[in-house]
Amino acid sequence: ALESAGLRDELGGADSSVDLFEANSIQVLTEPAAERLPGVERGNVLLSFPKLSLVAVLDLNTEQIVWTGRGDFEFQHDVNMLPNGNLLLFDGRIGQGARAVEVDPLTMKTVWSTVVFPGSVSEVPRVGLVDRLAEGRTLVVDTNSGHAIELSPGGETVWEFINPHRVGQTGSRVALLPQVTRLEPDSMDWLA
């Protein structure tokens, strides 16, 4: 599907030792967000290909890529289409600050971003998650550093968690934080 979408040259010149087709997030699109992009319909699937720094929409009925986009991000993770039709993703650039990014998919321009985890000398991409919460807050997780942070719409820290658990033979490595879910108080009535 990617080859037939006109990406043959990029695929042919890529490093063949890595899995270029690893999709690290998949979201079935619903209205009205899906209607924002020309040629995209409800039920199409938003895919993220981090090793190509590419997001795409696949029509499952025709098995064709109907939209692709690249922006000012690399090795993205957890790409989601927001109700307003923008894309929200975790930007896992190598050796730079990991950040949460909101992108207008019509222009692929960044409309909001914040560096939430400082750069490192790591030669591997950062892995993480990002989720838009109620009242415009954003939950961002840097899996590699075991760090989660919730931000206000203005970028101020509302809540933060740093995983205190260590792993490895000497206990010198941080335990990964693969998932964090924000539970709203009214969703936990069953605990009473």
Side-chain angles (χ1 to χ4, degrees):
L2 287 171
E3 184 177 54
S4 68
L7 298 170
R8 176 187 278 268
D9 292 340
E10 293 178 50
L11 299 175
D15 181 355
S16 62
S17 68
V18 298
D19 181 5
L20 297 176
F21 304 109
E22 171 196 348
N24 63 16
S25 65
I26 300 172
Q27 178 188 17
V28 177
L29 298 177
T30 59
E31 297 170 353
E35 296 173 340
R36 181 145 187 244
L37 292 172
V40 173
E41 299 176 359
R42 184 175 75 98
N44 288 169
V45 179
L46 177 67
L47 302 167
S48 168
F49 298 99
K51 294 180 180 122
L52 296 171
S53 296
L54 176 77
V55 290
V57 176
L58 173 69
D59 183 323
L60 294 174
N61 294 322
T62 65
E63 298 182 357
Q64 296 293 312
I65 297 292
V66 294
W67 177 85
T68 61
R70 284 199 167 96
D72 183 27
F73 53 82
E74 296 174 353
F75 299 105
Q76 73 282 352
H77 284 76
D78 200 29
V79 178
N80 292 284
M81 187 167 276
L82 298 171
N84 68 4
N86 285 344
L87 300 174
L88 183 67
L89 58 94
F90 180 90
D91 182 3
R93 293 172 183 253
I94 296 174
Q96 296 183 31
R99 61 188 186 139
V101 180
E102 183 176 342
V103 176
D104 178 340
L106 294 175
T107 64
M108 291 310 291
K109 301 284 186 204
T110 298
V111 296
W112 175 87
S113 74
T114 183
V115 174
V116 288
F117 304 107
S120 71
V121 294
S122 173
E123 294 184 16
V124 297
R126 307 278 283 269
V127 176
L129 307 167
V130 62
D131 191 19
R132 184 60 48 82
L133 306 173
E135 301 169 9
R137 297 185 318 264
T138 305
L139 176 65
V140 189
V141 179
D142 183 2
T143 298
N144 299 16
S145 70
H147 193 170
I149 191 166
E150 184 177 322
L151 303 169
S152 72
E156 296 84 26
T157 300
V158 174
W159 171 87
E160 183 173 26
F161 174 77
I162 299 172
N163 194 349
H165 301 287
R166 297 294 177 256
V167 296
Q169 292 179 340
T170 63
S172 61
R173 296 173 53 198
V174 70
L176 298 179
L177 193 58
Q179 180 68 45
V180 173
T181 301
R182 175 77 154 103
L183 299 175
E184 298 297 335
D186 61 349
S187 71
M188 297 186 296
D189 293 341
W190 60 273
L191 287 174

